[in-house]
Amino acid sequence: MTLNGALISGCGGGAHPAVSVKGGGQLTMTKCELDAPCGAGVQLADGASASLHATTISRPAKAAVAARKPAALLMDDCTVADSAGVGVMLFECGPAVVLRECKIHGSTKAAIQVSEPLGEPLLAETGGKAQSQAPGASVVGPLLERCSIRSSGGAGVYVLDGAAPVLKDNKIHGSGGPGVRVEAARPHLEGNVVSGGSAEGMRVSGRARDQPMAASGVANSVWSSPECMGSTAPGEGETDEDGLLVEEVVFGPAPPPAGAGPSGNGECSIDEAKVLRAAACAAHKNLHRLPARAAAAAAAFGPESSPCSWPDPVWEEGEEEKAAAAAAAVTADAIAIETEARAGALLIRNTVEDNALAGILVTDGASALLEANRLSCGRGPALVFSDGARGLARGNELWGHAAPVQLEISGQGTAPHVERNTVCLLYTSPSPRDGLL
């Protein structure tokens, strides 16, 4: 069926969709308008196909577009306005589903919801044959590209139940919930701008189906001494033994105190500092696994320093071997953690700004990769890992949030790998923990 310039208003009662495409059916709509459908605007059943071009769907009583395992769906330069439910609902949709340069505004719930069945994930198609996927492999999903998503009552984009959409270069503004909400799913989010929301810019929770689990705490157990464990500051509670994995955290604008170092601010012994320094350099990435108090002390070395700039240690008998074992454990940990993170949500080169809560929250056991994101000017911390969250945060910029803590890591079992991030403070303070908790 082909519709050009059609106007469809209402639907004569009942909760029926204005346009329904059954399995095997094909629909093309160009420059059409659907106003106030009593159910969904366009509904696609299993195996149906549709191409919507420059079409407007406004005030539907349910989703403007609802697709369940369609053969294909293309929405190009379409407008969805004021849905009473979700704007666009995609269930069990593969890469043949594409939303490009669409405007989705004013939905009562999420602007876009992408989900999978609770059973097996979608399989990649190669030459018309399904490929089985090993645990942790990427799962194919729909593409959302260069769309404008504004003023949704819930999340801007809600991804759940193992779905793996690609969101690229979208603008998401003014969401009532998180700009992007991910629950036990593995989306690829790249180059998006998420701003002005009433909750977190991006919230990632739960582990994706079949995501591998890296062992943790191996490297830390080699050198963590009792005096370096415990609370990060009076009244802040206890850190768990996994600690943090930190590399080259840069602080500004307040310079660290002159002569600050592990023994000066972190209450770590010089013996531990020697082992940390040697392990870090031997791992070729200046990595060092530290409990929270020691992490703050290492950060106090300032913008120009790394563990490799510390004075060469004078080895006692057996210490050099201990450091080599620590370095090997650090390297193994880093590889395992990154492998685990890449099998979950991927957040790459996104701009997240001016949201009411954290810029990005990773929580509830989730493991995600956060790389080269720019988090700024929110009213909560820039980046939060909590409640057993893991993963890798590398090369991100965190600055200008109206909270004394820009990077917060809390909760039992929370053990991310944090590497080469730039942290700039809104408020100056002599305490290094104002940047890192």
Side-chain angles (χ1 to χ4, degrees), residues 26-27 153 184 253 279 289 329 341 369 382 419:
Q26 296 183 350
L27 170 69
R289 181 176 284 278
L369 173 69
E419 171 184 323

Side-chain angles (χ1 to χ4, degrees), residues 291-358:
R293 186 190 295 267
F301 269 77
E304 304 303 323
S305 298
S306 73
C308 293
S309 68
W310 299 356
D312 289 331
V314 178
W315 295 108
E316 303 289 342
E317 183 177 355
E319 280 189 336
E320 191 165 4
E321 291 78 6
K322 187 178 182 182
V330 166
T331 302
D333 262 10
I335 293 171
I337 290 169
E338 181 161 354
T339 300
E340 173 190 285
R342 287 189 177 279
L346 306 180
L347 284 61
I348 301 171
R349 291 188 292 276
N350 299 287
T351 298
V352 183
E353 57 192 12
D354 193 28
N355 293 284
L357 301 179

Side-chain angles (χ1 to χ4, degrees), residues 260-315:
S263 59
N265 273 318
E267 301 181 18
C268 293
S269 67
I270 188 63
D271 291 335
E272 180 169 359
K274 287 191 294 185
V275 176
L276 290 172
R277 186 256 186 210
C281 293
H284 306 296
K285 280 192 174 183
N286 305 329
L287 296 176
H288 49 288
R289 181 176 284 278
L290 306 169
R293 186 190 295 267
F301 269 77
E304 304 303 323
S305 298
S306 73
C308 293
S309 68
W310 299 356
D312 289 331
V314 178
W315 295 108

